[in-house]
Amino acid sequence: MPQVTLVEAVNLALARAMADDAEVLVLGQDVGTDGGVFRATVGLLERFGPERVIDTPLAEQLITGMTIGMAAEGLKPVAEIQFSGFGYVCIDQILNHAGRMRHRTQGRISCPMVMRTPCGAGIHPPEHHSESPEAMFAHIPGIRVVYPSSPRRAYGLLLAAIQDPDPVVFLEPTRLYRLFKEEVEDDAKPLALDTCFTLREGTDITLVTWGAMVHETLQVASRLEQEGLFAEVIDVATLRPLDMDTILASVAKTGRCVVVTEAPRSGSFAAEIAANLAEHGLLSLFAPVTRVASYDVVVPLSRLEAAYMPGTERILDAVRKCLAFG
């Protein structure tokens, strides 16, 4: 079984989906000749031709509009927006057209599209290249928001997103693109959407996170284990619709919860999870739900990037306070 990086797993899933279904195509700036800004689509043009691997102008609204139109006509387009910070102009069409297509047509037309976009900080890029916009997309009714955290989950979840009959925003953590490798079998098997993945079993505290922050959160869980404390680590993976049952069941077991996100604190998706726990899991809690997030500022340039994002020490500090409460 080959060891691949996360970005190679994305490429593997795209190639598999296109080989198995002639209706699947990819489009976006530089996805063809250049193989994508991070090389996620490298080799697809040579293998599937220019009618299924379409280089577009640098015009995100055009890319989104074409994608919605193709999906409404029965194709299964996968669009690439080079960085999520350039995806805000796409929200108008995603919110007003893609997300409403099934409802507006009373179920006659669906919108089987995927919008892939790299996101998150940690690779020292300039502004607009490090955003964490998952809460904005998760607020839009009618779409799924998927955020893989490893090569294996990127492969399986992208296959599932492409097969989904409704629109999916697929957020890819740039920091993890080439951070580590994992065995990924190109077996065409999708992973389940709309469900959390429990990465570690534990009894003392529940750590909930997604995307790149899964990496630091697992490191914290390993450090806690050396002290005889066992953290349950949950990778949310699909933010909308949210699998709250898995999180509630875990908190019922541990009684404590820290939610970790790379996005700015105010209005983050961590707040949604904390609110759900307060509403439906209050009697299970021994301590207030704690959020560890980035700061409510524009993502800084490279010199301050590490101070902006939650690191293991900030997560560990929050965990210790949560464990000490009461």
Side-chain angles (χ1 to χ4, degrees):
M1 196 181 302
Q3 293 258 349
V4 302
T5 62
L6 195 151
V7 72
E8 290 170 337
V10 169
N11 180 268
L12 207 59
L14 290 171
R16 169 57 62 184
M18 295 178 77
D20 289 351
D21 187 344
E23 303 297 334
V24 179
L25 58 90
V26 301
L27 70 158
Q29 187 197 9
D30 297 333
V31 298
T33 303
D34 290 342
V37 63
F38 287 101
R39 306 295 179 262
T41 55
V42 70
L44 299 182
L45 177 64
E46 293 78 6
R47 185 172 173 186
F48 298 104
E51 292 188 352
R52 297 182 64 196
V53 183
I54 304 169
D55 271 321
T56 68
L58 175 54
E60 287 80 6
Q61 287 176 307
L62 166 76
I63 296 168
T64 311
M66 286 176 61
T67 303
I68 294 170
M70 289 175 177
E73 289 297 319
L75 296 172
K76 297 176 183 175
V78 182
E80 177 178 296
I81 302 297
Q82 284 199 345
F83 289 90
S84 62
F86 302 123
Y88 302 133
V89 294
C90 308
I91 288 179
D92 173 30
Q93 298 200 48
I94 291 172
L95 194 156
N96 286 313
H97 300 292
R100 297 169 190 253
M101 189 71 75
R102 183 179 289 281
H103 177 77
R104 176 179 288 157
T105 63
Q106 298 181 351
R108 287 181 290 109
I109 301 175
S110 63
C111 191
M113 60 167 277
V114 177
M115 190 183 88
R116 298 180 36 247
T117 186
C119 65
I123 59 168
H124 308 317
E127 63 175 349
H128 298 307
H129 296 70
S130 305
E131 315 287 323
S132 295
E134 62 265 30
M136 270 190 281
F137 287 114
H139 187 68
I140 300 173
I143 65 166
R144 279 187 165 76
V145 180
V146 180
Y147 204 160
S149 63
S150 75
R152 198 172 298 141
R153 282 188 289 284
Y155 176 83
L157 291 173
L158 183 53
L159 285 178
I162 294 170
Q163 294 172 9
D164 194 275
D166 291 302
V168 177
V169 172
F170 197 83
L171 300 167
E172 298 169 6
T174 50
R175 187 156 56 90
L176 300 189
Y177 262 159
R178 293 179 174 83
L179 187 64
F180 65 96
K181 291 187 175 182
E182 196 174 56
E183 286 188 346
V184 177
E185 185 175 1
D186 185 16
D187 56 5
K189 291 182 179 177
L191 286 174
L193 297 174
D194 311 343
T195 185
C196 295
F197 295 89
T198 301
L199 306 184
R200 289 178 67 119
E201 301 280 346
T203 53
D204 296 308
I205 191 167
T206 299
L207 306 181
V208 180
T209 188
W210 53 91
M213 292 314 302
V214 169
H215 186 67
E216 281 79 8
T217 305
L218 285 171
Q219 290 179 335
V220 167
S222 295
R223 288 177 61 176
L224 291 170
E225 188 173 9
Q226 294 171 9
E227 302 172 15
L229 297 167
F230 297 94
E232 187 142 302
V233 178
I234 293 177
D235 176 4
V236 175
T238 301
L239 279 76
R240 186 186 178 92
L242 174 63
D243 169 21
M244 209 47 218
D245 290 345
T246 296
I247 298 172
L248 284 165
S250 177
V251 172
K253 182 169 58 171
T254 67
R256 302 174 195 271
C257 183
V258 172
V259 189
V260 183
T261 176
E262 189 179 318
R265 180 182 175 87
S266 297
S268 72
F269 200 74
E272 173 66 21
I273 293 172
N276 263 291
L277 284 170
E279 194 171 1
H280 303 293
L282 183 63
L283 298 182
S284 300
L285 290 167
F286 302 142
V289 179
T290 303
R291 291 174 286 162
V292 182
S294 293
Y295 301 107
D296 291 341
V297 299
V298 174
V299 184
L301 296 177
S302 57
R303 195 168 58 179
L304 294 174
E305 199 177 42
Y308 167 78
M309 294 185 297
T312 52
E313 293 307 318
R314 279 176 60 191
I315 301 169
L316 203 52
D317 183 55
V319 168
R320 293 197 194 289
K321 288 177 180 173
C322 189
L323 287 168
F325 186 91

